[in-house]
Amino acid sequence: MTVTEPLMILVAGPYRGGTGDDPDRIAANHRAIQRACLELFRAGHLAVNGEDLALPLAELAGSTRVGDAAFDEVFHPMGRRLVARVDAVLRLPGASTGSDEMVALARARGAAVYTSVDEVPAVAR
């Protein structure tokens, strides 16, 4: 299957999930999300992730650590706002309550949900 225009796809995967809030493990999860965004970009799509949008705002709001009040003010609400606007969600593997919520919200509004970059339709060139 192909599409004629790039899709805007939210990449949702574990950020804190399974890390015990260990900064190195969180960074590895974040990097996996970013790598998936790059794969989608190279496939012709516009990939977005809430982390890259929310984290700078959380810092401006005064966040000094993952899970503090300023972090919570921005982090998941950013994902909810994004999922309301995207064409699809790519759900990466791993335990993540927030990612599961993004999938449920996407499905509720009829947006596509993929579990692998290979499932995403190619952009006709």
Side-chain angles (χ1 to χ4, degrees):
M1 180 174 145
T2 60
V3 293
T4 58
E5 296 291 327
L7 300 174
M8 185 185 307
I9 303 171
L10 174 65
V11 177
Y15 179 73
R16 292 174 71 184
T19 68
D21 286 344
D22 176 89
D24 291 334
R25 295 174 73 190
I26 289 172
N29 281 350
H30 190 186
R31 200 69 176 154
I33 292 166
Q34 291 171 323
R35 276 194 299 277
C37 286
L38 178 59
E39 285 184 66
L40 290 169
F41 177 80
R42 287 179 170 161
H45 297 290
L46 174 60
V48 296
N49 71 79
E51 292 77 9
D52 286 344
L53 295 171
L55 292 171
L57 292 181
E59 182 180 339
L60 283 172
S63 179
T64 58
R65 63 178 173 74
V66 172
D68 65 16
F71 179 92
D72 289 343
E73 173 190 6
V74 175
F75 195 75
H76 283 121
M78 178 65 76
R80 292 179 194 111
R81 291 178 192 186
L82 282 169
V83 80
R85 303 296 301 256
V86 299
D87 300 306
V89 171
L90 171 61
R91 174 60 164 97
L92 300 180
S96 172
T97 303
S99 295
D100 291 342
E101 179 186 358
M102 298 309 115
V103 166
L105 291 170
R107 286 189 171 133
R109 59 179 283 269
V113 175
Y114 304 105
T115 57
S116 146
V117 172
D118 296 334
E119 293 177 359
V120 178
V123 177
R125 301 193 190 240

